[in-house]
Amino acid sequence: MASSVALGALRPSPADVQVVTSDGSTIAAHSSVLASASPVLERMIQRAPRIRILGASPDAVAAFLRFLYFPREATAEWVETAMAAHWPALLALAHAHRVPWLKQRAEEAVAARLTAECAVDALKLARLCDAPRLYLRCACLASKDLPAVKVSEGWRFAARHDAQLQLDLLQLLQDADQRKKRWERERASHAVYRELSDAMAFLECAFTEASPCDDDGSGRACTGRQGILQLVRHLAGCGNKGGCPQCKSIFQLLRLHSSVCDRAKPCRVPLCSNLKMKMQAEKVDETWRLLVKKVARARVMATLAANREVPEVVKNSWVKYNSGSRNRAADIFR
C-alpha cells in the first residue's frame, strides 16, 4: 500500500506535484521549488504533475527533496544525519537531477567517510557521477592502503563483475607511482644544481670577496671558502692529477665557473681565462651546455629568493623540501 509523505506543511501554498519513489510511496511537493532547484525536475514537471524518482529509498528521496526546500536553512545536525544515512544516494540523485551545490556537498560527505572497505564502491560511484575530487581521494586511499582495499567486499565484487574498474584503479596507482618517482628524481637533480651553484658562489667568494663570511653569521660561507681554498691548494700540489678525485672535482668546478663567468675584466678565479679560451677553441658537448644552463638558472633563482621577503610558511616548506636525501655535488663528476 502506497504511503504519503507530505511536504505541504513546509510551504504556505498547496502542493501541486506528486513525487513517486521506487516502492510506490508518494511525496507531495511544490513545482515552483523543484523546478527552480533542478532543470531535470523542471522538464519532468512540464510533462506531467506526477513524477518518478527511482533508484533510491523513499527516505533518501525525502532527504533529497528537503535539501531542495532548505538549501541554506537546514540545521547542521540534520544535514550531518542525512548525509551519514544517505550519502551515496544523495550524490547520485544530485548528479542525475543536476543540483551542483548538493552534489558538491554530498561529494565532500562521501570523501569524509572514506575507508578501505568502501573505497572501491566510492570509486565506482565517483566515476559514474563524474566526481573527480572524490575519485582522486579514493585513489589516494587505495595507494596508501592497497592490501586492505584488496580484501574488501567491493574489490571482490569488482573482480567478479567489473574487471575494468580494477584495471583502471591499478593503472591509476601505477601512474601516481611513476609521477612520484619522477618528482623525486627532479628534486634530487635540483638539489645537485643548487649545490653546484653554492660551490661556485664559494669559489668566487674565495678569490674575489674581501670579507668571505655571510651576513647572517652562520659561518657557512667561511666554511665553504676554506674548503674551496684547500681543494685549489691540493690541485696545485697534487702529483696525481690524472686520477685524483679531488683534482677532478675542483677542475670541473673551475671549468663550470668559466662557462658562466661574464666579467669584462680579467677574472681572479684560477684558470678562468685559460678555460674560456680552450672552450671557445674546442666544441663543447650538449650535455655540458645543459648542465651550465641549469646551474645558471639555479643561481638566478637563489638570487631572487635572497632578495625578496619569503613568507614563513614558504620557508618551512622549503626546509621540508630539502630535508630529504641530498646528493653530493661532486658525485656528478665521478
Side-chain angles (χ1 to χ4, degrees), residues 274-290:
N274 294 338
L275 290 175
K276 280 184 180 179
M277 294 175 60
K278 184 178 179 180
M279 284 188 293
Q280 290 175 358
E282 299 177 356
K283 184 178 180 181
V284 180
D285 61 11
E286 196 63 31
T287 303
W288 182 263
R289 291 180 183 274
L290 182 61

Side-chain angles (χ1 to χ4, degrees), residues 25-263:
S25 302
T26 59
I27 302 175
H30 299 80
S31 59
S32 59
V33 175
L34 303 187
S36 62
S38 166
V40 177
L41 292 176
E42 181 180 13
R43 288 195 297 269
M44 295 171 66
I45 293 171
Q46 289 174 354
R47 289 195 296 265
R50 188 178 179 88
I51 63 176
R52 295 179 179 273
I53 299 181
L54 308 178
S57 67
D59 292 338
V61 175
F64 171 67
L65 295 178
R66 182 160 182 173
F67 271 110
L68 301 186
Y69 271 79
F70 299 108
R72 295 182 179 85
E73 291 81 358
T75 62
E77 182 179 357
W78 180 85
V79 170
E80 181 67 23
T81 303
M83 286 294 180
H86 309 295
W87 52 265
L90 288 173
L91 177 57
L93 291 172
H95 172 71
H97 296 90
R98 295 175 59 186
V99 187
W101 63 268
L102 181 56
K103 178 180 176 180
Q104 181 180 357
R105 209 166 183 179
E107 187 177 353
E108 294 172 355
V110 176
R113 292 167 174 81
L114 273 181
T115 61
E117 181 64 28
C118 67
V120 177
D121 296 330
L123 184 72
K124 186 171 184 178
L125 180 65
R127 188 172 65 175
L128 294 174
C129 295
D130 189 23
R133 290 187 298 270
L134 178 59
Y135 194 91
L136 181 60
R137 289 287 297 272
C138 295
C140 291
L141 177 61
S143 66
K144 292 179 181 178
D145 198 3
L146 186 58
V149 172
K150 285 186 174 181
V151 300
S152 65
E153 181 62 29
W155 181 271
R156 292 193 293 268
F157 182 86
R160 295 191 300 267
H161 304 286
D162 194 354
Q164 187 60 43
L165 179 64
Q166 281 189 327
L167 293 177
D168 291 345
L169 177 58
L170 293 176
Q171 183 64 44
L172 192 66
L173 297 181
Q174 182 181 3
D175 294 343
D177 185 62
Q178 291 177 352
R179 286 194 299 270
K180 181 179 179 181
K181 290 180 179 179
R182 184 170 63 250
W183 168 249
E184 289 176 350
R185 290 195 301 268
E186 292 176 356
R187 183 175 62 178
S189 63
H190 182 75
V192 171
Y193 301 138
R194 281 293 302 271
E195 289 179 355
L196 287 172
S197 175
D198 293 343
M200 284 201 302
F202 296 149
L203 179 66
E204 295 174 0
C205 177
F207 293 98
T208 62
E209 297 286 340
S211 178
C213 293
D214 46 0
D215 295 336
D216 60 3
S218 63
R220 183 168 174 265
C222 290
T223 303
R225 177 179 182 274
Q226 293 299 323
I228 292 294
L229 290 176
Q230 290 178 4
L231 286 175
V232 173
R233 294 191 190 103
H234 173 82
L235 176 65
C238 181
N240 187 20
K241 293 182 173 58
C244 178
Q246 289 84 357
C247 291
K248 288 182 179 180
S249 298
I250 187 60
F251 182 79
Q252 295 286 22
L253 186 61
L254 291 171
R255 185 183 177 212
L256 185 61
H257 163 78
S258 64
S259 299
V260 300
C261 180
D262 56 355
R263 288 185 173 85

